[in-house]
Amino acid sequence: MTSFEFTSQVQKISLTLRPAAMNLTRDADDAKDLVQETLLKALLNKDKFKAGTNLKAWLYTIMRNTFINNYNKITKRSSNIDSTEYFQYFNTDQNYITHNGATSDFVVRDINEAIAGLGTDYRTPFMMYYIGYKYMEIAEKLQIPIGTVKNRIHIARKELKSALHVYAPVGASSADMTDVIED
């Protein structure tokens, strides 16, 4: 199909697009804009149209997708999330609120002492993992098997959990405390 034939067929079908656009937009000006945008996209993408297929259906599909994309853009732009309820509960757990700097200093000191109390074989892989190294990287740097790395990190966590049990939330199980140390 030549460009002239394609353009003339699109022009003929364009008259039938307006009522469908009006159904989608429910506004005359928006319907005109939608038809115009649809025709522009069709003419710019005429090379994607396969001869022998239904041109009218192709144009309706372009129009529907254009309408949906425009609708999504508008709703994303205008949606306001009310975060007041979320922030109302943010950091309200009394176990994690620091009321003064002294308490925070005690906690940090206790954590540092607990880590320092770990044997070097356990502290080194644990700290490497803590700062972001992957198991494989730790194994390569320390020249030990990956299973040994995982085991030493696991043992270090268990020892830290035991040393820092006073900071476990009231009523927390030992599994909950392990989750805290792993994070």
Side-chain angles (χ1 to χ4, degrees), residues 128 134-146 149:
M128 289 176 75
K134 305 287 183 228
Y135 290 127
M136 192 59 113
E137 294 171 327
I138 297 168
E140 288 173 5
K141 290 223 183 243
L142 299 179
Q143 298 178 346
I144 56 176
I146 193 167
V149 169

Side-chain angles (χ1 to χ4, degrees), residues 101-115 164 167:
T103 305
S104 176
D105 291 342
F106 284 124
V107 172
V108 170
R109 189 187 74 224
D110 288 349
I111 292 171
N112 286 334
E113 285 177 5
I115 292 172
L164 300 170
Y167 295 107

Side-chain angles (χ1 to χ4, degrees), residues 76-148:
K76 282 182 184 176
R77 241 184 269 141
S78 66
S79 67
N80 294 325
I81 299 171
D82 183 19
S83 58
T84 55
E85 187 175 324
Y86 171 76
F87 287 119
Q88 178 181 354
Y89 300 106
F90 187 68
N91 279 342
T92 59
D93 187 350
Q94 294 301 314
N95 293 316
Y96 299 107
I97 294 178
T98 302
H99 296 287
N100 61 40
T103 305
S104 176
D105 291 342
F106 284 124
V107 172
V108 170
R109 189 187 74 224
D110 288 349
I111 292 171
N112 286 334
E113 285 177 5
I115 292 172
L118 294 172
T120 307
D121 288 345
Y122 300 108
R123 182 177 53 245
T124 303
F126 177 80
M127 290 307 296
M128 289 176 75
Y129 182 77
Y130 176 75
I131 61 174
Y133 284 93
K134 305 287 183 228
Y135 290 127
M136 192 59 113
E137 294 171 327
I138 297 168
E140 288 173 5
K141 290 223 183 243
L142 299 179
Q143 298 178 346
I144 56 176
I146 193 167
T148 304

Side-chain angles (χ1 to χ4, degrees), residues 5 22 26 34 47 101-102 112 124 133 144 150 170:
E5 291 172 339
M22 189 65 183
R26 308 274 190 234
L34 181 59
D47 56 316
N112 286 334
T124 303
Y133 284 93
I144 56 176
K150 290 179 179 181
V170 177

Side-chain angles (χ1 to χ4, degrees), residues 9-124:
Q9 284 187 5
V10 167
Q11 216 170 14
K12 287 177 191 174
I13 296 172
S14 69
L15 299 174
T16 64
L17 292 176
R18 186 160 291 148
M22 189 65 183
N23 274 342
L24 290 171
T25 62
R26 308 274 190 234
D27 181 70
D29 291 332
D30 289 342
K32 288 178 186 176
D33 290 343
L34 181 59
V35 169
Q36 195 171 33
E37 194 172 349
T38 301
L39 295 176
L40 177 65
K41 286 182 178 181
L43 293 173
L44 290 174
N45 294 298
K46 66 183 168 203
D47 56 316
K48 294 180 182 173
F49 176 73
K50 294 183 177 99
T53 59
N54 189 344
L55 180 61
K56 189 174 183 179
W58 188 69
L59 290 171
Y60 276 98
T61 302
I62 292 172
M63 184 170 61
R64 184 192 47 158
N65 291 343
T66 301
F67 172 76
I68 291 170
N69 289 339
N70 289 341
Y71 178 80
N72 287 338
K73 285 178 190 174
I74 291 168
T75 56
K76 282 182 184 176
R77 241 184 269 141
S78 66
S79 67
N80 294 325
I81 299 171
D82 183 19
S83 58
T84 55
E85 187 175 324
Y86 171 76
F87 287 119
Q88 178 181 354
Y89 300 106
F90 187 68
N91 279 342
T92 59
D93 187 350
Q94 294 301 314
N95 293 316
Y96 299 107
I97 294 178
T98 302
H99 296 287
N100 61 40
T103 305
S104 176
D105 291 342
F106 284 124
V107 172
V108 170
R109 189 187 74 224
D110 288 349
I111 292 171
N112 286 334
E113 285 177 5
I115 292 172
L118 294 172
T120 307
D121 288 345
Y122 300 108
R123 182 177 53 245
T124 303

